[in-house]
Amino acid sequence: IGLMAAVLGLVIRRLALFLQPIVERRMLLLTPVVGLAVAGLAIAFAQGSGRSSSEVLFSGQDQLPSLLENAGGWTAGALVLLVVCKGLAYGLSLSSFRGGPIFPSMFIGAAGGIALSHLPGLTMIGGAAMGIGALVVAMLGLPLTAVLLVTVFLQADGLQVMPLVIVAVVVSSVVSV
């Protein structure tokens, strides 16, 4: 999970850094184009998964608790589609819109971890916690903050899986560097 999160974080960051100077040169024209691309990704996700487009459109702050609570109702394919669409939308949004890196990375990391929890031997909460921590450190570069965010957000569950989170965060941090 740490390795995949580092690669995913790199792709998202590189997409944003590649597009940012292009959008800044013609901000008035290209910012709405980026917004339309994000809307297209949200619509594609909604059509492909049968879920709400709000999972892709918003930062994930309000959607993350319901994602964790209803994780059993998600298929692995829908979660992978969510990670791809939300990751692309996140990279596009970082290039031209206001917003921060924390909640989208937490949401995408949780979705990826939950998708991987469909594999044998990984619990849903363990996968989500490792995904959150690993992608947060890939985007922020702050390992202690990544572990702290997981622990504070997941509370008692976060404490139980903290050793797994630490390993995922360290792997993601080292690979990102």
Side-chain angles (χ1 to χ4, degrees):
I1 291 176
L3 178 63
M4 287 192 277
V7 171
L8 181 61
L10 177 71
V11 168
I12 291 169
R13 201 171 333 121
R14 290 251 172 112
L15 175 64
L17 291 174
F18 173 76
L19 291 175
Q20 186 176 12
I22 296 169
V23 173
E24 283 179 349
R25 280 187 241 136
R26 295 182 169 221
M27 193 174 295
L28 206 55
L29 175 67
L30 294 180
T31 300
V33 171
V34 170
L36 288 172
V38 169
L41 287 166
I43 291 167
F45 169 75
Q47 293 298 311
S49 69
R51 299 279 182 163
S52 172
S53 62
S54 66
E55 304 288 344
V56 173
L57 287 177
F58 301 113
S59 73
Q61 179 178 358
D62 296 329
Q63 291 80 17
L64 185 56
S66 73
L67 175 69
L68 293 173
E69 290 168 3
N70 303 317
W74 285 82
T75 64
L79 288 165
V80 170
L81 184 62
L82 177 61
V83 168
V84 169
C85 290
K86 181 109 177 144
L88 288 171
Y90 181 30
L92 289 169
S93 296
L94 281 175
S95 72
S96 53
F97 294 109
R98 285 185 51 220
I102 295 174
F103 286 111
S105 62
M106 287 177 71
F107 186 84
I108 295 168
I114 293 169
L116 290 173
S117 74
H118 285 84
L119 298 172
L122 182 61
T123 65
M124 184 282 296
I125 200 67
M130 289 190 295
I132 291 170
L135 195 56
V136 166
V137 78
M139 294 305 293
L140 296 179
L142 303 169
L144 183 60
T145 301
V147 173
L148 181 65
L149 278 173
V150 172
T151 306
V152 169
F153 182 72
L154 296 177
Q155 298 172 357
D157 290 330
L159 288 174
Q160 289 178 346
V161 295
M162 187 180 289
L164 296 173
V165 173
I166 291 171
V167 170
V169 165
V170 168
V171 169
S172 182
S173 180
V174 169
V175 171
S176 293
V177 170

